[in-house]
Amino acid sequence: MKLKHVGILAGTVLWVGGCFLNPEDDDNGNRVTESQKYIVATTSLVDQAGNVALISTDDFSASTDLLSIHPDNAVMTNGSSTYILERYGKDNLLRIDGPDISADSLKYQVKIGTAVNIHEIACVSESKAYVTQYGSTECAIIDPRTGEVTGSISLSAAKFRSDGEDVPYMSSIIVIDDNAYIALQRLK
């Protein structure tokens, strides 16, 4: 698995998140040839649409305003695919292949659930990925080729929850070997 993700919080109202996209990687994230690398960045302002930019790592030139997205968002890459998660209030997963980022280049935009607040994606194979859901007890299992939800893993038995809380607040996820590690955040 070759999932890369970086995020920067600047001030209190602007979110900039980004990750590296190598359009010449194969489906398993392995280098095929030396290629142009890009930084895929998303931004948002409170109560305004977010947007996507593509920054060349060669000369740091930027193509901006490529795709309007939900303001609460995250971006991850896996090989030549970019995944954009439209979080709270949308729960959409978008996939774009290669460095041509636009509404016309969307491979798919699918709704993962309703009021589940999808948070991160971790691709474990060509046909399997996990999507954490901040507002649910279930971690979604999807087919990253189509975005179709194929199953889920229940975290309803999480022992740390306080009285009155009904979700474990799934946030970050990382897969190492055959194990998925999910960060559970306690808000109270």
Side-chain angles (χ1 to χ4, degrees):
M1 182 181 71
K2 195 173 189 179
L3 188 70
K4 301 172 195 104
H5 175 221
V6 295
I8 304 165
L9 182 61
T12 57
V13 294
L14 175 65
W15 162 257
V16 179
C19 53
F20 293 94
L21 174 66
N22 185 353
E24 297 280 334
D25 285 352
D26 67 14
D27 288 335
N28 294 320
N30 299 311
R31 172 78 48 96
V32 176
T33 62
E34 190 62 33
S35 67
Q36 172 79 34
K37 290 186 181 179
Y38 301 92
I39 299 169
V40 181
T42 61
T43 63
S44 77
L45 292 171
V46 175
D47 296 329
Q48 295 183 19
N51 218 302
V52 182
L54 194 65
I55 303 164
S56 168
T57 59
D58 284 344
D59 61 6
F60 295 100
S61 60
S63 299
T64 60
D65 299 324
L66 300 176
L67 180 65
S68 182
I69 56 175
H70 186 63
D72 188 2
N73 63 68
V75 61
M76 278 82 178
T77 60
N78 187 36
S80 64
S81 297
T82 299
Y83 296 92
I84 298 171
L85 292 89
E86 295 181 308
R87 292 176 168 173
Y88 186 74
K90 283 285 191 175
D91 299 312
N92 288 330
L93 177 65
L94 292 70
R95 178 179 168 177
I96 300 167
D97 292 334
D100 178 26
I101 296 179
S102 69
D104 294 334
S105 65
L106 282 176
K107 183 164 177 84
Y108 60 74
Q109 179 175 1
V110 297
K111 190 163 194 69
I112 299 299
T114 302
V116 294
N117 195 3
I118 62 174
H119 228 62
E120 279 197 8
I121 183 172
C123 297
V124 294
S125 71
E126 183 180 307
S127 60
K128 185 177 182 180
Y130 299 113
V131 177
T132 58
Q133 302 182 113
Y134 204 72
S136 174
T137 59
E138 304 294 315
C139 178
I141 302 170
I142 69 156
D143 183 336
R145 299 171 297 187
T146 63
E148 176 187 0
V149 176
T150 59
S152 65
I153 300 169
S154 177
L155 296 178
S156 61
K159 300 293 184 199
F160 77 94
R161 294 183 299 169
S162 298
D163 290 337
E165 293 180 329
D166 58 356
V167 296
Y169 304 109
M170 285 177 260
S171 182
S172 300
I173 182 170
I174 187 168
V175 176
I176 300 172
D177 297 324
D178 293 332
N179 298 302
Y181 299 91
I182 300 173
L184 305 180
Q185 296 181 337
R186 189 179 207 165
L187 294 182
K188 297 180 183 177

